[in-house]
Amino acid sequence: MLDQFMSVVRRGAQRWNASVKASVVAAVLACLLPGVVQQAAAQSKVIPLPIRTDGPKSLDPVAGSTVYDNTAVSQFYETLLETAYYDNYVFEPLLLAEMPERLDDGLRYRFRLKDGVRFKNDPCFPGGVGRELVTDDVFYSWKRLADRDEGLENWWLMAGVIQGLEPQPEGEAFDYDADVSGLVKIDDKNFEVVLNKPVYRFLWVLTMFQTSVVPREAVEYYGDDFAASPVGTGPFVLDEWVPKSHLYVNRNPDYRDERYPAADKWSEEDREKGLADAAGQRIPFADRLEFTFYIEDQPLWLEFQQGKLAYIEVPYPFFSEGFSSRTKRLNRELRRAGVTYRSEPQLDFIFRAFNMDDELLGANGPNPERARHLRRAISFAIDFEEFNTAFYEGLCVLYDGPIPPGLDGHPEGGRVPGAPRGPDRAAARAELEAAGFPNGEGLPPIKFYTSQGGTNADQVEMMRRQLSEVGITLEPILLDFSQLIELTNKRQAPFFGFAWSSDYPDAENNLALFYSENASPGSNHSNYNNPEFDELYLQAIQMEPSPERTALYERLRNMVIEDTPYVGALARTRYWLMAPWVLNARPTQRTQSWFKYLDVDEDER
């Protein structure tokens, strides 16, 4: 298919100048199909885009938890702050007129909303006309995170943070009109937030899509259908969503005057790539985004080769078709075709997690010491280096603990003495014997849940083989990604595969995966519960970056390693390819609102 891609490029170079050809075609069509021409002119910039897996499970911010939910939701809804496109390690105002004012040593913050921000026109509003964003919308949206009727899936982001904001007693309805002491309204555009204690990550949380602002009218008007009926302030509006198939969005015709980042904000390297060329221009550029969901990697790769996608996150099985495995340089054919690339080390935590509530594997079960020996046996038996070589082109960093490279608390050289890292079959067998299952005798098959698609079936088969070598039988169960999330939220998967990309560049975000109050359906899907860990974690979240905080992160990291609620970990480096006709593309997983910056060079396309 690469040859087909190249032949299309070569044929294009032999034809008329694109602008002349476009003029002739437009003139002919204007005579024959004036309606078609008007429609094409009104929607001339259509950008086809991929979403891997079966896509989002909801378009409601408080119901989302994955990067795929984030990608969808961020087109319609906006947060007070956003991760900067030009530098993913800083954030900047989005719905705010300016950065929040930090008061009382971080116990209080003052906010001012931007003027002229309006929700899109929708039947939920009087006369169908969207109204302006106000303080009450922010308070209402955050209260939804605490509403038990909304599932509490993302309550972990705000739990214990804002003074007076708590879930309602079970069996009662949440009172959205009740005052919350920590949410102080000054007027429709100004408000303060009072925290129970200083929480360093608080402002970073306000960049996360789950804290997006929604209008109360829409939630009450659409009821159960609100999850498929987005009414936001964002740059795009929903055209069509077919779950597990595609998501089509159109430009929001009433989107306020927002501009592409200024030229002086971009690095010299990015300026050389042309990423600052659109500086100061009004966004969004595209009239329509068409997201297609891909469970399997091969069709994704083929459609990019055929010029049908603006960009692609390169699936590792196809890496050597696009890059030199030795030098990691883009191959000559793609360079000649005008394809460009970007690579980015991920704040990544790829792991296999145990459900600590499981009777056999869990510390919260009837025999916690036996379960710990069994978890360690599995950990010693798994060879992540083999996974890295076979499935990731050796591009991953293998490390001990839950803190990825680049963050405070990551172990030097990736190693922690005493960590149960495989392959160590002798240690695995010793742990099995200590668990009461010598050579695996008497041990029932262990069910392992993971998402289907990509190389997952082959990865599961490799893990099954590795475990069988010490006498452990694995029973793989492959599901759609959305089903996997549902099962883990309900604590029904005893052993499962996950990947966590840090929401912000602080190890606290990864350590939060083991705080007991964040247990499923929160981010702590392993349901790890260690009172000592909790106490230290609550100390850590109040601390500013410092050597003392780093030392505390390391203690927390080592505690988790010792208790072994997971096996891992790997950190990926992502590689993206961009078609020659897409402009302003700087793909990243650290923010999902960047699609509003994409533009199209129709001459190239």
PDB file of all heavy atoms in Angstrom, residues 265-299:
ATOM      1  N   LYS A 265       5.790  32.080  21.720  1.00  0.00           N
ATOM      2  CA  LYS A 265       5.577  30.995  22.679  1.00  0.00           C
ATOM      3  C   LYS A 265       6.160  29.671  22.194  1.00  0.00           C
ATOM      4  O   LYS A 265       6.333  28.745  22.980  1.00  0.00           O
ATOM      5  CB  LYS A 265       4.087  30.827  22.972  1.00  0.00           C
ATOM      6  CG  LYS A 265       3.475  32.006  23.715  1.00  0.00           C
ATOM      7  CD  LYS A 265       2.032  31.741  24.095  1.00  0.00           C
ATOM      8  CE  LYS A 265       1.483  32.881  24.943  1.00  0.00           C
ATOM      9  NZ  LYS A 265       0.088  32.630  25.373  1.00  0.00           N
ATOM     10  N   TRP A 266       6.453  29.597  20.903  1.00  0.00           N
ATOM     11  CA  TRP A 266       6.929  28.337  20.339  1.00  0.00           C
ATOM     12  C   TRP A 266       8.442  28.218  20.440  1.00  0.00           C
ATOM     13  O   TRP A 266       9.163  29.214  20.372  1.00  0.00           O
ATOM     14  CB  TRP A 266       6.508  28.233  18.860  1.00  0.00           C
ATOM     15  CG  TRP A 266       5.018  28.151  18.686  1.00  0.00           C
ATOM     16  CD1 TRP A 266       4.162  29.196  18.508  1.00  0.00           C
ATOM     17  CD2 TRP A 266       4.226  26.974  18.702  1.00  0.00           C
ATOM     18  NE1 TRP A 266       2.876  28.741  18.406  1.00  0.00           N
ATOM     19  CE2 TRP A 266       2.877  27.372  18.510  1.00  0.00           C
ATOM     20  CE3 TRP A 266       4.510  25.619  18.843  1.00  0.00           C
ATOM     21  CZ2 TRP A 266       1.828  26.454  18.474  1.00  0.00           C
ATOM     22  CZ3 TRP A 266       3.471  24.700  18.797  1.00  0.00           C
ATOM     23  CH2 TRP A 266       2.144  25.122  18.621  1.00  0.00           C
ATOM     24  N   SER A 267       8.915  26.994  20.577  1.00  0.00           N
ATOM     25  CA  SER A 267      10.365  26.766  20.594  1.00  0.00           C
ATOM     26  C   SER A 267      10.933  27.013  19.200  1.00  0.00           C
ATOM     27  O   SER A 267      10.204  27.020  18.193  1.00  0.00           O
ATOM     28  CB  SER A 267      10.660  25.322  21.017  1.00  0.00           C
ATOM     29  OG  SER A 267      10.243  24.411  20.006  1.00  0.00           O
ATOM     30  N   GLU A 268      12.238  27.219  19.147  1.00  0.00           N
ATOM     31  CA  GLU A 268      12.889  27.433  17.849  1.00  0.00           C
ATOM     32  C   GLU A 268      12.673  26.232  16.932  1.00  0.00           C
ATOM     33  O   GLU A 268      12.421  26.380  15.729  1.00  0.00           O
ATOM     34  CB  GLU A 268      14.380  27.677  18.055  1.00  0.00           C
ATOM     35  CG  GLU A 268      15.141  27.951  16.762  1.00  0.00           C
ATOM     36  CD  GLU A 268      16.605  28.242  17.000  1.00  0.00           C
ATOM     37  OE1 GLU A 268      16.999  28.408  18.172  1.00  0.00           O
ATOM     38  OE2 GLU A 268      17.364  28.301  16.012  1.00  0.00           O
ATOM     39  N   GLU A 269      12.741  25.031  17.492  1.00  0.00           N
ATOM     40  CA  GLU A 269      12.533  23.814  16.696  1.00  0.00           C
ATOM     41  C   GLU A 269      11.127  23.784  16.107  1.00  0.00           C
ATOM     42  O   GLU A 269      10.948  23.467  14.918  1.00  0.00           O
ATOM     43  CB  GLU A 269      12.761  22.579  17.567  1.00  0.00           C
ATOM     44  CG  GLU A 269      12.542  21.255  16.828  1.00  0.00           C
ATOM     45  CD  GLU A 269      12.695  20.052  17.734  1.00  0.00           C
ATOM     46  OE1 GLU A 269      13.003  20.241  18.933  1.00  0.00           O
ATOM     47  OE2 GLU A 269      12.488  18.918  17.261  1.00  0.00           O
ATOM     48  N   ASP A 270      10.123  24.132  16.903  1.00  0.00           N
ATOM     49  CA  ASP A 270       8.753  24.128  16.407  1.00  0.00           C
ATOM     50  C   ASP A 270       8.520  25.234  15.379  1.00  0.00           C
ATOM     51  O   ASP A 270       7.763  25.054  14.413  1.00  0.00           O
ATOM     52  CB  ASP A 270       7.765  24.271  17.568  1.00  0.00           C
ATOM     53  CG  ASP A 270       7.589  22.968  18.346  1.00  0.00           C
ATOM     54  OD1 ASP A 270       7.880  21.903  17.783  1.00  0.00           O
ATOM     55  OD2 ASP A 270       7.149  23.021  19.513  1.00  0.00           O
ATOM     56  N   ARG A 271       9.179  26.372  15.576  1.00  0.00           N
ATOM     57  CA  ARG A 271       9.054  27.450  14.585  1.00  0.00           C
ATOM     58  C   ARG A 271       9.634  27.017  13.252  1.00  0.00           C
ATOM     59  O   ARG A 271       9.074  27.313  12.186  1.00  0.00           O
ATOM     60  CB  ARG A 271       9.733  28.724  15.092  1.00  0.00           C
ATOM     61  CG  ARG A 271       8.963  29.443  16.182  1.00  0.00           C
ATOM     62  CD  ARG A 271       9.441  30.878  16.366  1.00  0.00           C
ATOM     63  NE  ARG A 271      10.813  30.933  16.853  1.00  0.00           N
ATOM     64  CZ  ARG A 271      11.154  30.952  18.138  1.00  0.00           C
ATOM     65  NH1 ARG A 271      10.219  30.920  19.066  1.00  0.00           N
ATOM     66  NH2 ARG A 271      12.423  31.001  18.499  1.00  0.00           N
ATOM     67  N   GLU A 272      10.757  26.292  13.299  1.00  0.00           N
ATOM     68  CA  GLU A 272      11.358  25.801  12.055  1.00  0.00           C
ATOM     69  C   GLU A 272      10.438  24.822  11.331  1.00  0.00           C
ATOM     70  O   GLU A 272      10.485  24.714  10.110  1.00  0.00           O
ATOM     71  CB  GLU A 272      12.707  25.142  12.363  1.00  0.00           C
ATOM     72  CG  GLU A 272      13.794  26.126  12.774  1.00  0.00           C
ATOM     73  CD  GLU A 272      15.072  25.420  13.200  1.00  0.00           C
ATOM     74  OE1 GLU A 272      15.065  24.163  13.239  1.00  0.00           O
ATOM     75  OE2 GLU A 272      16.069  26.116  13.485  1.00  0.00           O
ATOM     76  N   LYS A 273       9.617  24.126  12.075  1.00  0.00           N
ATOM     77  CA  LYS A 273       8.664  23.183  11.478  1.00  0.00           C
ATOM     78  C   LYS A 273       7.399  23.870  10.966  1.00  0.00           C
ATOM     79  O   LYS A 273       6.510  23.218  10.431  1.00  0.00           O
ATOM     80  CB  LYS A 273       8.278  22.114  12.498  1.00  0.00           C
ATOM     81  CG  LYS A 273       9.420  21.188  12.886  1.00  0.00           C
ATOM     82  CD  LYS A 273       8.962  20.204  13.949  1.00  0.00           C
ATOM     83  CE  LYS A 273      10.085  19.267  14.357  1.00  0.00           C
ATOM     84  NZ  LYS A 273       9.655  18.340  15.436  1.00  0.00           N
ATOM     85  N   GLY A 274       7.310  25.183  11.164  1.00  0.00           N
ATOM     86  CA  GLY A 274       6.155  25.924  10.685  1.00  0.00           C
ATOM     87  C   GLY A 274       5.003  25.968  11.662  1.00  0.00           C
ATOM     88  O   GLY A 274       3.914  26.453  11.314  1.00  0.00           O
ATOM     89  N   LEU A 275       5.236  25.513  12.878  1.00  0.00           N
ATOM     90  CA  LEU A 275       4.129  25.460  13.830  1.00  0.00           C
ATOM     91  C   LEU A 275       3.714  26.835  14.335  1.00  0.00           C
ATOM     92  O   LEU A 275       2.631  26.973  14.920  1.00  0.00           O
ATOM     93  CB  LEU A 275       4.504  24.555  15.007  1.00  0.00           C
ATOM     94  CG  LEU A 275       4.448  23.057  14.707  1.00  0.00           C
ATOM     95  CD1 LEU A 275       5.148  22.252  15.780  1.00  0.00           C
ATOM     96  CD2 LEU A 275       2.997  22.606  14.561  1.00  0.00           C
ATOM     97  N   ALA A 276       4.537  27.829  14.118  1.00  0.00           N
ATOM     98  CA  ALA A 276       4.167  29.183  14.526  1.00  0.00           C
ATOM     99  C   ALA A 276       3.612  30.007  13.377  1.00  0.00           C
ATOM    100  O   ALA A 276       3.257  31.181  13.571  1.00  0.00           O
ATOM    101  CB  ALA A 276       5.372  29.891  15.139  1.00  0.00           C
ATOM    102  N   ASP A 277       3.516  29.427  12.195  1.00  0.00           N
ATOM    103  CA  ASP A 277       3.099  30.205  11.018  1.00  0.00           C
ATOM    104  C   ASP A 277       1.684  30.758  11.142  1.00  0.00           C
ATOM    105  O   ASP A 277       1.360  31.781  10.538  1.00  0.00           O
ATOM    106  CB  ASP A 277       3.196  29.345   9.752  1.00  0.00           C
ATOM    107  CG  ASP A 277       4.632  29.021   9.375  1.00  0.00           C
ATOM    108  OD1 ASP A 277       5.551  29.570  10.031  1.00  0.00           O
ATOM    109  OD2 ASP A 277       4.841  28.209   8.451  1.00  0.00           O
ATOM    110  N   ALA A 278       0.833  30.075  11.889  1.00  0.00           N
ATOM    111  CA  ALA A 278      -0.562  30.516  12.019  1.00  0.00           C
ATOM    112  C   ALA A 278      -0.764  31.417  13.225  1.00  0.00           C
ATOM    113  O   ALA A 278      -1.908  31.718  13.587  1.00  0.00           O
ATOM    114  CB  ALA A 278      -1.478  29.297  12.125  1.00  0.00           C
ATOM    115  N   ALA A 279       0.309  31.861  13.839  1.00  0.00           N
ATOM    116  CA  ALA A 279       0.220  32.647  15.074  1.00  0.00           C
ATOM    117  C   ALA A 279      -0.749  33.813  14.931  1.00  0.00           C
ATOM    118  O   ALA A 279      -0.713  34.556  13.945  1.00  0.00           O
ATOM    119  CB  ALA A 279       1.607  33.161  15.462  1.00  0.00           C
ATOM    120  N   GLY A 280      -1.618  33.944  15.920  1.00  0.00           N
ATOM    121  CA  GLY A 280      -2.544  35.071  15.956  1.00  0.00           C
ATOM    122  C   GLY A 280      -3.792  34.903  15.131  1.00  0.00           C
ATOM    123  O   GLY A 280      -4.701  35.746  15.201  1.00  0.00           O
ATOM    124  N   GLN A 281      -3.897  33.848  14.340  1.00  0.00           N
ATOM    125  CA  GLN A 281      -5.087  33.650  13.504  1.00  0.00           C
ATOM    126  C   GLN A 281      -6.227  33.050  14.327  1.00  0.00           C
ATOM    127  O   GLN A 281      -6.011  32.324  15.290  1.00  0.00           O
ATOM    128  CB  GLN A 281      -4.760  32.752  12.317  1.00  0.00           C
ATOM    129  CG  GLN A 281      -3.736  33.344  11.358  1.00  0.00           C
ATOM    130  CD  GLN A 281      -3.474  32.443  10.167  1.00  0.00           C
ATOM    131  OE1 GLN A 281      -4.343  31.714   9.718  1.00  0.00           O
ATOM    132  NE2 GLN A 281      -2.242  32.478   9.669  1.00  0.00           N
ATOM    133  N   ARG A 282      -7.421  33.342  13.891  1.00  0.00           N
ATOM    134  CA  ARG A 282      -8.603  32.878  14.625  1.00  0.00           C
ATOM    135  C   ARG A 282      -8.805  31.376  14.425  1.00  0.00           C
ATOM    136  O   ARG A 282      -8.600  30.852  13.345  1.00  0.00           O
ATOM    137  CB  ARG A 282      -9.847  33.646  14.177  1.00  0.00           C
ATOM    138  CG  ARG A 282     -11.066  33.366  15.041  1.00  0.00           C
ATOM    139  CD  ARG A 282     -12.191  34.343  14.758  1.00  0.00           C
ATOM    140  NE  ARG A 282     -13.349  34.061  15.614  1.00  0.00           N
ATOM    141  CZ  ARG A 282     -14.439  34.810  15.672  1.00  0.00           C
ATOM    142  NH1 ARG A 282     -14.517  35.896  14.897  1.00  0.00           N
ATOM    143  NH2 ARG A 282     -15.436  34.501  16.467  1.00  0.00           N
ATOM    144  N   ILE A 283      -9.194  30.688  15.489  1.00  0.00           N
ATOM    145  CA  ILE A 283      -9.448  29.251  15.454  1.00  0.00           C
ATOM    146  C   ILE A 283     -10.924  28.987  15.782  1.00  0.00           C
ATOM    147  O   ILE A 283     -11.609  29.867  16.324  1.00  0.00           O
ATOM    148  CB  ILE A 283      -8.528  28.505  16.452  1.00  0.00           C
ATOM    149  CG1 ILE A 283      -8.782  29.021  17.876  1.00  0.00           C
ATOM    150  CG2 ILE A 283      -7.089  28.646  16.061  1.00  0.00           C
ATOM    151  CD1 ILE A 283      -8.122  28.207  18.960  1.00  0.00           C
ATOM    152  N   PRO A 284     -11.429  27.807  15.437  1.00  0.00           N
ATOM    153  CA  PRO A 284     -10.774  26.691  14.753  1.00  0.00           C
ATOM    154  C   PRO A 284     -10.682  26.947  13.257  1.00  0.00           C
ATOM    155  O   PRO A 284     -11.454  27.735  12.692  1.00  0.00           O
ATOM    156  CB  PRO A 284     -11.704  25.516  15.058  1.00  0.00           C
ATOM    157  CG  PRO A 284     -13.068  26.139  15.144  1.00  0.00           C
ATOM    158  CD  PRO A 284     -12.834  27.474  15.797  1.00  0.00           C
ATOM    159  N   PHE A 285      -9.767  26.254  12.596  1.00  0.00           N
ATOM    160  CA  PHE A 285      -9.591  26.390  11.156  1.00  0.00           C
ATOM    161  C   PHE A 285     -10.492  25.429  10.386  1.00  0.00           C
ATOM    162  O   PHE A 285     -10.948  25.742   9.296  1.00  0.00           O
ATOM    163  CB  PHE A 285      -8.131  26.128  10.780  1.00  0.00           C
ATOM    164  CG  PHE A 285      -7.166  27.097  11.385  1.00  0.00           C
ATOM    165  CD1 PHE A 285      -6.256  26.697  12.343  1.00  0.00           C
ATOM    166  CD2 PHE A 285      -7.159  28.428  10.998  1.00  0.00           C
ATOM    167  CE1 PHE A 285      -5.358  27.583  12.907  1.00  0.00           C
ATOM    168  CE2 PHE A 285      -6.262  29.342  11.548  1.00  0.00           C
ATOM    169  CZ  PHE A 285      -5.363  28.909  12.515  1.00  0.00           C
ATOM    170  N   ALA A 286     -10.692  24.242  10.943  1.00  0.00           N
ATOM    171  CA  ALA A 286     -11.455  23.205  10.231  1.00  0.00           C
ATOM    172  C   ALA A 286     -12.953  23.460  10.346  1.00  0.00           C
ATOM    173  O   ALA A 286     -13.449  23.943  11.365  1.00  0.00           O
ATOM    174  CB  ALA A 286     -11.129  21.828  10.793  1.00  0.00           C
ATOM    175  N   ASP A 287     -13.663  23.116   9.266  1.00  0.00           N
ATOM    176  CA  ASP A 287     -15.123  23.183   9.281  1.00  0.00           C
ATOM    177  C   ASP A 287     -15.729  21.903   9.841  1.00  0.00           C
ATOM    178  O   ASP A 287     -16.862  21.918  10.333  1.00  0.00           O
ATOM    179  CB  ASP A 287     -15.654  23.398   7.858  1.00  0.00           C
ATOM    180  CG  ASP A 287     -15.214  24.727   7.289  1.00  0.00           C
ATOM    181  OD1 ASP A 287     -15.702  25.760   7.762  1.00  0.00           O
ATOM    182  OD2 ASP A 287     -14.357  24.721   6.390  1.00  0.00           O
ATOM    183  N   ARG A 288     -14.950  20.816   9.762  1.00  0.00           N
ATOM    184  CA  ARG A 288     -15.503  19.533  10.181  1.00  0.00           C
ATOM    185  C   ARG A 288     -14.361  18.577  10.536  1.00  0.00           C
ATOM    186  O   ARG A 288     -13.337  18.539   9.834  1.00  0.00           O
ATOM    187  CB  ARG A 288     -16.358  18.942   9.059  1.00  0.00           C
ATOM    188  CG  ARG A 288     -17.034  17.610   9.342  1.00  0.00           C
ATOM    189  CD  ARG A 288     -17.901  17.231   8.137  1.00  0.00           C
ATOM    190  NE  ARG A 288     -18.489  15.905   8.218  1.00  0.00           N
ATOM    191  CZ  ARG A 288     -19.641  15.619   8.823  1.00  0.00           C
ATOM    192  NH1 ARG A 288     -20.328  16.582   9.419  1.00  0.00           N
ATOM    193  NH2 ARG A 288     -20.130  14.394   8.843  1.00  0.00           N
ATOM    194  N   LEU A 289     -14.529  17.861  11.614  1.00  0.00           N
ATOM    195  CA  LEU A 289     -13.619  16.784  11.980  1.00  0.00           C
ATOM    196  C   LEU A 289     -14.381  15.475  11.911  1.00  0.00           C
ATOM    197  O   LEU A 289     -15.500  15.373  12.432  1.00  0.00           O
ATOM    198  CB  LEU A 289     -13.078  16.980  13.399  1.00  0.00           C
ATOM    199  CG  LEU A 289     -12.416  18.313  13.746  1.00  0.00           C
ATOM    200  CD1 LEU A 289     -11.963  18.318  15.208  1.00  0.00           C
ATOM    201  CD2 LEU A 289     -11.233  18.591  12.823  1.00  0.00           C
ATOM    202  N   GLU A 290     -13.781  14.477  11.287  1.00  0.00           N
ATOM    203  CA  GLU A 290     -14.427  13.167  11.169  1.00  0.00           C
ATOM    204  C   GLU A 290     -13.526  12.117  11.829  1.00  0.00           C
ATOM    205  O   GLU A 290     -12.518  11.705  11.255  1.00  0.00           O
ATOM    206  CB  GLU A 290     -14.682  12.822   9.702  1.00  0.00           C
ATOM    207  CG  GLU A 290     -15.682  13.763   9.055  1.00  0.00           C
ATOM    208  CD  GLU A 290     -16.059  13.377   7.627  1.00  0.00           C
ATOM    209  OE1 GLU A 290     -15.339  12.539   7.031  1.00  0.00           O
ATOM    210  OE2 GLU A 290     -17.070  13.911   7.106  1.00  0.00           O
ATOM    211  N   PHE A 291     -13.886  11.740  13.055  1.00  0.00           N
ATOM    212  CA  PHE A 291     -13.137  10.730  13.797  1.00  0.00           C
ATOM    213  C   PHE A 291     -13.700   9.346  13.482  1.00  0.00           C
ATOM    214  O   PHE A 291     -14.903   9.117  13.622  1.00  0.00           O
ATOM    215  CB  PHE A 291     -13.261  10.965  15.307  1.00  0.00           C
ATOM    216  CG  PHE A 291     -12.602  12.216  15.803  1.00  0.00           C
ATOM    217  CD1 PHE A 291     -13.339  13.386  15.978  1.00  0.00           C
ATOM    218  CD2 PHE A 291     -11.249  12.231  16.107  1.00  0.00           C
ATOM    219  CE1 PHE A 291     -12.741  14.541  16.456  1.00  0.00           C
ATOM    220  CE2 PHE A 291     -10.632  13.383  16.584  1.00  0.00           C
ATOM    221  CZ  PHE A 291     -11.391  14.542  16.758  1.00  0.00           C
ATOM    222  N   THR A 292     -12.821   8.442  13.074  1.00  0.00           N
ATOM    223  CA  THR A 292     -13.193   7.041  12.867  1.00  0.00           C
ATOM    224  C   THR A 292     -12.491   6.208  13.931  1.00  0.00           C
ATOM    225  O   THR A 292     -11.331   6.451  14.251  1.00  0.00           O
ATOM    226  CB  THR A 292     -12.786   6.565  11.465  1.00  0.00           C
ATOM    227  OG1 THR A 292     -13.452   7.372  10.482  1.00  0.00           O
ATOM    228  CG2 THR A 292     -13.173   5.101  11.247  1.00  0.00           C
ATOM    229  N   PHE A 293     -13.206   5.212  14.471  1.00  0.00           N
ATOM    230  CA  PHE A 293     -12.656   4.379  15.536  1.00  0.00           C
ATOM    231  C   PHE A 293     -12.046   3.121  14.939  1.00  0.00           C
ATOM    232  O   PHE A 293     -12.657   2.463  14.095  1.00  0.00           O
ATOM    233  CB  PHE A 293     -13.745   3.992  16.537  1.00  0.00           C
ATOM    234  CG  PHE A 293     -14.571   5.152  17.032  1.00  0.00           C
ATOM    235  CD1 PHE A 293     -15.888   4.975  17.416  1.00  0.00           C
ATOM    236  CD2 PHE A 293     -14.031   6.437  17.102  1.00  0.00           C
ATOM    237  CE1 PHE A 293     -16.655   6.033  17.860  1.00  0.00           C
ATOM    238  CE2 PHE A 293     -14.795   7.505  17.548  1.00  0.00           C
ATOM    239  CZ  PHE A 293     -16.116   7.308  17.920  1.00  0.00           C
ATOM    240  N   TYR A 294     -10.851   2.792  15.391  1.00  0.00           N
ATOM    241  CA  TYR A 294     -10.119   1.631  14.873  1.00  0.00           C
ATOM    242  C   TYR A 294      -9.741   0.707  16.032  1.00  0.00           C
ATOM    243  O   TYR A 294      -8.910   1.075  16.872  1.00  0.00           O
ATOM    244  CB  TYR A 294      -8.842   2.072  14.155  1.00  0.00           C
ATOM    245  CG  TYR A 294      -9.082   2.897  12.914  1.00  0.00           C
ATOM    246  CD1 TYR A 294      -9.227   4.282  12.995  1.00  0.00           C
ATOM    247  CD2 TYR A 294      -9.154   2.301  11.657  1.00  0.00           C
ATOM    248  CE1 TYR A 294      -9.441   5.051  11.858  1.00  0.00           C
ATOM    249  CE2 TYR A 294      -9.364   3.055  10.514  1.00  0.00           C
ATOM    250  CZ  TYR A 294      -9.512   4.429  10.621  1.00  0.00           C
ATOM    251  OH  TYR A 294      -9.722   5.185   9.497  1.00  0.00           O
ATOM    252  N   ILE A 295     -10.329  -0.469  16.061  1.00  0.00           N
ATOM    253  CA  ILE A 295      -9.945  -1.464  17.055  1.00  0.00           C
ATOM    254  C   ILE A 295      -8.665  -2.165  16.611  1.00  0.00           C
ATOM    255  O   ILE A 295      -7.764  -2.414  17.406  1.00  0.00           O
ATOM    256  CB  ILE A 295     -11.084  -2.485  17.273  1.00  0.00           C
ATOM    257  CG1 ILE A 295     -12.290  -1.783  17.919  1.00  0.00           C
ATOM    258  CG2 ILE A 295     -10.613  -3.644  18.144  1.00  0.00           C
ATOM    259  CD1 ILE A 295     -13.491  -2.681  18.090  1.00  0.00           C
ATOM    260  N   GLU A 296      -8.563  -2.456  15.308  1.00  0.00           N
ATOM    261  CA  GLU A 296      -7.397  -3.133  14.756  1.00  0.00           C
ATOM    262  C   GLU A 296      -6.434  -2.117  14.152  1.00  0.00           C
ATOM    263  O   GLU A 296      -6.838  -1.083  13.626  1.00  0.00           O
ATOM    264  CB  GLU A 296      -7.820  -4.146  13.695  1.00  0.00           C
ATOM    265  CG  GLU A 296      -8.761  -5.232  14.204  1.00  0.00           C
ATOM    266  CD  GLU A 296      -8.114  -6.122  15.248  1.00  0.00           C
ATOM    267  OE1 GLU A 296      -6.859  -6.195  15.276  1.00  0.00           O
ATOM    268  OE2 GLU A 296      -8.846  -6.746  16.041  1.00  0.00           O
ATOM    269  N   ASP A 297      -5.152  -2.436  14.208  1.00  0.00           N
ATOM    270  CA  ASP A 297      -4.122  -1.511  13.723  1.00  0.00           C
ATOM    271  C   ASP A 297      -3.959  -1.517  12.207  1.00  0.00           C
ATOM    272  O   ASP A 297      -3.645  -0.484  11.611  1.00  0.00           O
ATOM    273  CB  ASP A 297      -2.775  -1.857  14.359  1.00  0.00           C
ATOM    274  CG  ASP A 297      -2.707  -1.463  15.825  1.00  0.00           C
ATOM    275  OD1 ASP A 297      -3.453  -0.543  16.223  1.00  0.00           O
ATOM    276  OD2 ASP A 297      -1.900  -2.055  16.555  1.00  0.00           O
ATOM    277  N   GLN A 298      -4.164  -2.664  11.566  1.00  0.00           N
ATOM    278  CA  GLN A 298      -3.875  -2.746  10.136  1.00  0.00           C
ATOM    279  C   GLN A 298      -4.716  -1.791   9.303  1.00  0.00           C
ATOM    280  O   GLN A 298      -4.169  -1.045   8.470  1.00  0.00           O
ATOM    281  CB  GLN A 298      -4.037  -4.178   9.634  1.00  0.00           C
ATOM    282  CG  GLN A 298      -3.587  -4.328   8.172  1.00  0.00           C
ATOM    283  CD  GLN A 298      -3.614  -5.759   7.706  1.00  0.00           C
ATOM    284  OE1 GLN A 298      -4.540  -6.503   8.022  1.00  0.00           O
ATOM    285  NE2 GLN A 298      -2.591  -6.167   6.965  1.00  0.00           N
ATOM    286  N   PRO A 299      -6.051  -1.747   9.472  1.00  0.00           N
ATOM    287  CA  PRO A 299      -6.817  -0.783   8.678  1.00  0.00           C
ATOM    288  C   PRO A 299      -6.429   0.659   8.969  1.00  0.00           C
ATOM    289  O   PRO A 299      -6.460   1.508   8.069  1.00  0.00           O
ATOM    290  CB  PRO A 299      -8.272  -1.062   9.059  1.00  0.00           C
ATOM    291  CG  PRO A 299      -8.224  -1.890  10.294  1.00  0.00           C
ATOM    292  CD  PRO A 299      -6.935  -2.617  10.261  1.00  0.00           C
TER     293      PRO A 299
END
